[in-house]
């Protein structure tokens, strides 16, 4: 033992803003909108390494769409995008309230992150497959999955497509390119790579997208996904949604305070991009670029969506216990709905009046769906799935021991 | 009908399945160019190409995870975990994902996946090349668990597993890979090629999952065994002169309870033999089922003969797993009661 080095100490990263403190994002480097060039889709990952440290942004502070990544969407598509985000936000608010009223056990909202899933969904084609986490319901909403069906699952009522077997927000729809969600974090990142490999093995044209949160990038399966995607040049888009918080643990714990999440792709030779996750146009443009890259056989892309979870982790979480109440408002990339709205107004394609009208229409749509779903039942009232359903579908054919147990249970 | 080793039979099953269905893909550590460390997949890459039989990175969770994605896509992956002892990094993928996918998605997505792994001791593999973790998988709803004891069953069960619409854990007793033995550890293994049980039909004969086989008929005691322990049980019966009925379970999940119950009700006595550690082992499940279904027919307490509840030893493996001596003592003991 040497005496001249002194005792060692452990570094435990801390977020900048605990409750009661003033939020300070001054050291968060945000490039100007339009500053990051759009490389060709066949770009060599080695030549675009800087994209993992910058942030692709399209909408500037005045609401103008600027730079190489702008111009990919028509006005009609932008209107639709705004509607999808409003729909998701309104759906969230109603379901959050329904949980507080005891109509379901649990809910997870997307507040502040609506652009990520809604804009990404538009870049994918029918037949492609997402392997989402619990905070990408926008993938379903933007693909027209029925709101009533979503609510039926949230209420675990008799029309729940999953018969009350899954948590309320863990949807599944092969038809809508939405893989069954797992609560075990990170597991599905590598499954998305396998699905994409299978498409390549089969000579298919479809691609996959994996989704993971910033906290779960610490899981071994994140690294497994990267090595398999890299090794086999899988046609997959690997999305990290960095919403700053993994329940109460800030993103620096998984990241270690060095580099960026996107930069982790460099060691695998994977094209790696950071994007402004609160900028609908930027998310869509980067997603489209990455999907095209995958579809043309140029391999995987890692996208870090830089965003902020403005709400709690779930209905079981109280974020005021671990972060400043003012932090969400101080988040420098703003609100995705407000930014797209401002853009549409700036280009003369929207107004405050039309926005209010759209909000009212969306609320009517969600209310009507909720009325329809609640008429069937909720977790605590109305028609519920049969307990017999829990014995069904464990295997394709029910084995004798399960038949005996089902009979023993009285069904 | 050809005579072959269990390794060759497993290879034949792969070959037959891959020839019949181009959705069958095979991958794992060393399985491609080299054909696997035990050579079970030798020649498949050459015959079916690199995209249907390939080497994987050393990452079991990644191997199983990608295979789940492939199965959900519509392929039928058959993957090799190099030793059962290496499966633990993939346990979450198997238990939380593969096993539950059908149920949690209401069959929107399914997982027709076969996970092969060499199991058990007897080759001086020490703690990390000798374990028998079957009970960890039989406890999981949604999985099927299989372990053959001879080449014919290995081929037929593997074909059934590949055809199965649900995930199957396929354990291969590595002590039986190249030949059967008479149950004693210190005698040379006889090649399957010179053994009648090494006879394997040509083509694609399936051995259905969930059906046990009576290897030796008897009237005095039922011995429940699987994998390597089938031979140990047969040797013990032979050497003690106890008229034991030896049942080779073949499938642990689903289990052929009917055959077990019929036999124990006939003999009135039961000895359970497995190589895995005793506590919470599969023998505990078998004992419970025998008690629940055959209590009034039993003339003696059921006895388990198992590996000890210690980490698997390197130098003392012959003292670790049951041999005919320990099983023979159990047979004599149940006959005394």
């Amino acid at each position: 033992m040497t005496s001249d080095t002194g005792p060692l100490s452990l570094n435990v990263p801390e977020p900048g803003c605990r409750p009661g403190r003033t939020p300070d994002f001054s050291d968060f480097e945000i490039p100007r909108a339009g500053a990051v060039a759009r490389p060709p889709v066949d770009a060599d990952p080695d030549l675009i390494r800087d994209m993992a440290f910058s942030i692709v942004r399209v909408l500037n502070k005045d609401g103008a769409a600027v730079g190489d990544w702008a111009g990919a969407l028509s006005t009609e598509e932008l209107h639709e995008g705004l509607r999808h985000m409003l729909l998701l936000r309104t759906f969230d608010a109603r379901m959050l309230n329904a949980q507080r009223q005891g109509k379901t056990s649990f809910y997870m909202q997307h507040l502040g992150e609506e652009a990520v899933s809604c804009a990404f969904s538009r870049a994918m084609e029918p037949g492609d497959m997402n392997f989402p986490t619990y905070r990408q319901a926008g993938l379903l909403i933007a693909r027209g999955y029925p709101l009533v069906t979503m609510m039926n699952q949230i209420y675990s009522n008799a029309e729940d497509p999953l018969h009350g077997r899954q948590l309320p927000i863990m949807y599944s729809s092969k038809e809508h390119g939405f893989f069954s969600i797992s609560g075990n974090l990170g597991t599905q990142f590598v499954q998305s790579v396998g699905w994409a490999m299978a498409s390549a093995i089969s000579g298919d044209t479809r691609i996959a997208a994996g989704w993971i949160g910033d906290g779960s990038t610490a899981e071994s399966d994140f690294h497994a996904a990267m090595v398999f995607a890299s090794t086999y040049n899988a046609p997959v888009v690997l999305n990290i949604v960095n919403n700053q918080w993994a329940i109460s643990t800030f993103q620096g714990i998984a990241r270690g305070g060095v580099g960026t999440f996107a930069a982790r792709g460099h060691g695998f030779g994977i094209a790696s991009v950071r994007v402004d996750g609160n900028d609908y146009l930027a998310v869509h443009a980067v997603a489209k670029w990455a999907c095209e890259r995958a579809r043309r056989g140029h391999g995987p892309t890692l996208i870090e969506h830089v965003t902020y979870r403005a709400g709690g982790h779930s209905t079981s979480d109280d974020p005021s216990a671990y972060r400043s109440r003012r932090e969400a408002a101080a988040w420098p990339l703003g609100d995705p709905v407000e930014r797209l709205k401002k853009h549409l107004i700036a280009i003369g394609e929207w107004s405050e009046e039309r926005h209010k009208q759209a909000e009212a229409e969306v609320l009517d749509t969600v209310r009507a769906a909720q009325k329809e779903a609640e008429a069937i039942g909720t977790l605590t009232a109305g028609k519920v799935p049969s307990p017999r359903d829990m014995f069904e579908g464990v295997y394709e054919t029910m084995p004798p021991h399960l038949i005996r147990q089902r009979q023993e249970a009285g069904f | 009908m050809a005579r072959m080793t269990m390794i060759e039979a497993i290879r034949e099953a792969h070959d037959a399945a891959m020839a019949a269905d181009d959705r069958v893909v095979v991958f794992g550590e060393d399985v491609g160019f080299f054909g696997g460390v035990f050579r079970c997949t030798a020649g498949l890459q050459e015959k079916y190409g690199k995209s249907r039989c390939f080497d994987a990175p050393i990452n079991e969770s990644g191997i199983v995870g990608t295979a789940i994605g492939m199965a959900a896509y519509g392929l039928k992956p058959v993957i090799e975990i190099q030793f059962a002892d290496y499966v633990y990094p993939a346990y979450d993928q198997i238990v939380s994902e593969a096993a539950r996918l059908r149920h949690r998605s209401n069959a929107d997505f399914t997982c027709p996946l076969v996970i092969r792994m060499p199991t058990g001791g007897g080759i001086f593999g020490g703690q990390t090349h000798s374990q028998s973790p079957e009970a960890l998988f039989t406890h999981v709803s949604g999985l099927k668990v299989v372990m053959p004891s001879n080449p014919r069953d290995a081929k037929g069960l593997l074909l059934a597993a590949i055809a199965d619409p649900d995930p199957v854990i396929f354990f291969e007793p590595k002590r039986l890979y190249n030949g059967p033995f008479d149950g004693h550890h210190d005698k040379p293994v006889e090649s399957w090629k010179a053994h009648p049980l090494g006879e394997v039909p040509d083509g694609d004969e399936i051995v259905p999952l969930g059906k046990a086989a009576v290897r030796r008929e008897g009237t005095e005691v039922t011995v429940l065994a699987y994998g390597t322990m089938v031979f140990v049980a047969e040797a013990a019966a032979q050497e003690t002169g106890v008229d034991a009925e030896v049942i080779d379970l073949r499938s642990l999940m689903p289990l052929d309870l009917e055959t077990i119950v019929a036999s124990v009700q006939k003999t009135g006595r039961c000895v359970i033999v497995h190589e895995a550690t005793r506590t919470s082992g599969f023998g505990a499940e078998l004992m419970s089922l025998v008690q629940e279904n055959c209590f009034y027919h039993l003339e003696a307490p059921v006895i388990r003969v198992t590996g000890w509840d210690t980490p698997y030893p390197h130098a003392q493996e012959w003292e670790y797993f049951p041999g005919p001596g320990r099983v023979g003592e159990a047979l004599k003991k149940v006959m005394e009661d």
Side-chain angles (χ1 to χ4, degrees):
Chain A
M1 181 178 166
T2 54
S3 58
D4 60 343
T5 55
L8 295 165
S9 65
L10 185 73
N11 173 54
V12 181
E14 271 295 318
C17 185
R18 288 298 193 189
R21 303 266 303 272
T22 303
D24 178 11
F25 288 103
S26 58
D27 61 349
F28 175 34
E29 288 182 33
I30 306 171
R32 282 182 300 105
V36 178
R38 184 184 189 278
V41 292
D42 62 350
D44 181 340
D46 267 353
L47 302 177
I48 55 170
R49 290 169 71 89
D50 57 333
M51 292 182 75
F53 299 102
S54 191
I55 301 177
V56 173
R57 304 180 68 232
V58 172
L59 293 174
N60 68 16
K61 61 181 181 344
D62 300 321
V66 296
D68 292 352
W69 297 88
L73 290 165
S74 67
T75 306
E76 192 182 316
E77 288 170 324
L78 291 174
H79 281 148
E80 201 175 50
L82 184 63
R83 184 172 178 277
H84 290 154
M85 290 199 287
L86 283 174
L87 204 50
L88 180 55
R89 187 166 287 189
T90 308
F91 184 93
D92 273 348
R94 299 291 297 188
M95 292 297 100
L96 193 66
N97 204 33
Q99 191 275 338
R100 298 302 189 213
Q101 293 169 337
K103 293 174 182 171
T104 185
S105 59
F106 181 77
Y107 192 72
M108 301 178 96
Q109 59 173 343
H110 304 70
L111 192 65
E113 299 178 47
E114 292 89 346
V116 174
S117 52
C118 290
F120 192 93
S121 189
R122 186 180 289 283
M124 295 192 90
E125 292 181 2
D128 294 342
M129 187 61 66
N130 281 284
F131 288 71
T133 79
Y134 42 72
R135 225 181 293 280
Q136 277 91 48
L139 296 169
L140 282 174
I141 293 223
R143 286 221 178 166
Y145 188 73
L147 298 182
V148 177
T149 310
M150 289 173 76
M151 288 175 178
N152 287 340
Q153 182 175 338
I154 289 163
Y155 290 140
S156 296
N157 66 24
E159 297 297 319
D160 172 359
L162 305 184
H163 302 285
R165 297 170 188 162
Q166 266 281 40
L167 270 177
I169 42 70
M170 295 199 178
Y171 313 107
S172 172
S173 176
K174 191 175 188 174
E175 187 190 344
H176 293 80
F178 196 94
F179 193 75
S180 158
I181 296 178
S182 173
N184 291 35
L185 301 181
T187 49
Q188 304 204 300
F189 215 51
V190 68
Q191 293 167 17
S192 72
V193 177
W195 197 98
M197 288 168 65
S199 184
I201 288 169
S202 307
D204 198 349
T205 58
R206 295 179 287 162
I207 63 168
W211 294 86
I212 200 167
D214 50 278
S216 311
T217 58
E219 290 280 5
S220 304
D221 278 338
F222 169 76
H223 303 273
M226 300 288 277
V227 75
F228 277 75
S230 167
T231 299
Y232 301 108
N233 202 42
V236 65
V237 181
L238 296 167
N239 295 283
I240 302 169
V241 181
N242 175 7
N243 69 6
Q244 314 300 316
W245 292 94
I247 308 187
S248 72
T249 305
F250 91 116
Q251 50 87 24
I253 288 288
R255 190 168 60 81
V258 289
T260 64
F261 289 108
R264 296 187 173 186
H266 288 164
F268 297 92
I270 293 177
S272 304
V273 185
R274 282 176 105 205
V275 63
D276 179 344
N278 289 21
D279 179 340
Y280 185 94
L281 281 75
V283 171
H284 170 264
V286 168
K288 191 163 181 276
W289 181 85
C291 288
E292 192 180 342
R293 205 178 150 76
R295 218 178 296 279
R296 291 182 183 280
H298 303 305
T301 302
L302 181 67
I303 303 175
E304 177 186 344
H305 301 260
V306 183
T307 184
Y308 186 85
R309 191 196 79 210
H313 169 72
S314 73
T315 46
S316 307
D317 177 40
D318 173 14
S320 69
Y322 52 82
R323 69 185 187 189
S324 167
R325 289 176 192 275
R326 289 173 290 166
E327 195 179 86
W331 173 246
L333 294 178
D335 177 285
V337 174
E338 288 302 313
R339 285 176 69 190
L340 183 54
K341 171 188 159 192
K342 188 174 182 178
H343 171 63
L344 281 165
I345 291 173
I347 61 173
E349 293 290 348
W350 202 241
S351 65
E352 289 292 351
E353 292 70 31
R354 286 178 74 183
H355 193 78
K356 280 200 182 82
Q357 192 186 346
E359 283 180 323
E361 283 169 10
V362 160
L363 182 58
D364 282 348
T365 303
V366 175
R367 271 183 179 151
Q370 191 173 5
K371 200 173 168 188
E372 197 180 328
E374 290 184 6
I376 298 161
T378 67
L379 183 65
T380 47
K383 291 181 191 161
V384 296
S386 165
R388 184 188 173 95
D389 285 338
M390 73 181 157
F391 295 95
E392 302 285 348
V394 180
Y395 302 89
E396 187 181 77
T397 305
M398 194 179 293
H401 73 287
L402 268 185
I403 295 172
R404 285 193 296 271
Q405 289 178 24
R406 191 192 69 206
Q407 289 166 345
E408 190 182 329
F411 302 101
Chain B
M1 191 82 78
R3 285 189 177 171
M4 61 182 71
T5 66
M6 190 185 277
I7 288 170
E8 288 164 341
I10 289 165
R11 196 185 303 152
E12 278 222 349
H14 279 98
D15 192 6
M18 291 176 90
D21 186 349
D22 59 13
R23 294 174 302 166
V24 178
V25 294
V26 174
F27 66 103
E29 293 155 19
D30 299 301
V31 307
F33 182 80
F34 184 51
V37 292
F38 289 103
R39 319 293 293 136
C40 290
T41 57
L44 297 176
Q45 185 175 77
E46 202 176 355
K47 190 166 178 182
Y48 296 102
K50 279 186 179 175
S51 66
R52 290 189 62 201
C53 178
F54 53 90
D55 293 322
I58 301 177
N59 187 312
E60 287 78 12
S61 187
I63 292 169
V64 176
T66 49
I68 291 168
M70 289 182 196
Y73 173 91
L75 298 186
K76 294 180 78 68
V78 183
I79 55 174
E80 179 176 295
I81 300 294
Q82 202 158 70
F83 286 87
D85 315 63
Y86 301 166
V87 77
Y88 308 114
Y91 197 60
D92 187 28
Q93 287 286 354
I94 298 171
V95 171
S96 309
E97 306 291 327
R100 299 189 194 156
L101 186 56
R102 172 187 294 279
H103 191 250
R104 76 172 190 228
S105 71
N106 195 35
D108 202 12
F109 299 95
T110 60
C111 195
L113 166 66
V114 181
I115 305 174
R116 294 178 36 241
M117 46 187 132
T119 189
I123 63 159
F124 288 107
Q127 293 194 7
T128 54
H129 302 78
S130 308
Q131 294 169 41
S132 300
E134 61 271 16
L136 297 178
F137 297 96
T138 55
H139 191 59
V140 179
S141 311
L143 297 179
K144 294 180 178 175
V145 180
V146 177
M147 195 186 299
S149 68
N150 60 70
R152 184 176 195 153
D153 283 357
K155 182 179 175 185
L157 286 168
L158 184 53
L159 283 169
I162 294 170
D164 199 273
D166 290 307
V168 180
I169 309 292
F170 195 87
F171 286 108
E172 298 165 7
K174 62 176 97 64
R175 195 150 47 127
L176 301 180
Y177 261 157
N178 283 303
F181 67 121
D182 68 357
H184 293 269
H185 318 305
D186 52 349
K187 293 182 184 166
V189 166
E190 182 190 353
S191 168
W192 284 111
K193 289 178 177 168
H195 195 285
L197 280 174
E199 287 184 346
V200 177
D202 300 331
D204 51 4
E205 179 197 72
I206 276 184
V207 174
L209 306 184
K211 295 287 177 202
V214 179
R215 295 290 173 212
R216 183 186 197 278
E217 292 194 359
T219 58
E220 293 181 320
V221 51
T222 298
V223 183
L224 303 178
Y226 49 92
T228 314
M229 289 300 121
V230 171
F231 294 92
V232 174
E234 284 179 319
Q238 183 73 27
E239 288 163 22
T240 55
V242 173
D243 189 17
E245 181 149 292
V246 177
I247 295 178
D248 178 355
L249 297 177
R250 302 200 288 200
S251 283
L252 308 186
M253 175 60 67
L255 184 69
D256 187 353
L257 186 61
E258 205 178 333
T259 297
I260 295 169
V261 169
S263 177
V264 177
Q265 289 188 350
K266 178 181 77 176
T267 62
R269 293 179 174 84
C270 183
V271 170
I272 295 161
V273 189
H274 63 60
E275 193 174 329
T277 50
R278 178 173 303 172
T279 302
S280 303
F282 194 66
E285 177 63 28
L286 292 172
M287 192 177 259
S288 301
L289 288 168
V290 168
Q291 191 276 141
E292 283 171 6
N293 291 279
C294 311
F295 183 77
Y296 293 107
H297 294 79
L298 287 175
E299 293 173 31
V302 181
I303 296 181
R304 282 179 291 176
V305 188
T306 69
W308 308 119
D309 285 348
T310 70
Y312 198 99
H314 172 240
Q316 303 94 342
E317 61 178 3
W318 291 359
E319 285 74 39
Y320 175 82
F321 50 65
R326 280 176 56 202
V327 177
E329 285 168 27
L331 291 178
K332 284 187 264 182
K333 187 167 188 316
V334 289
M335 291 309 296
E336 285 165 9
D337 286 321

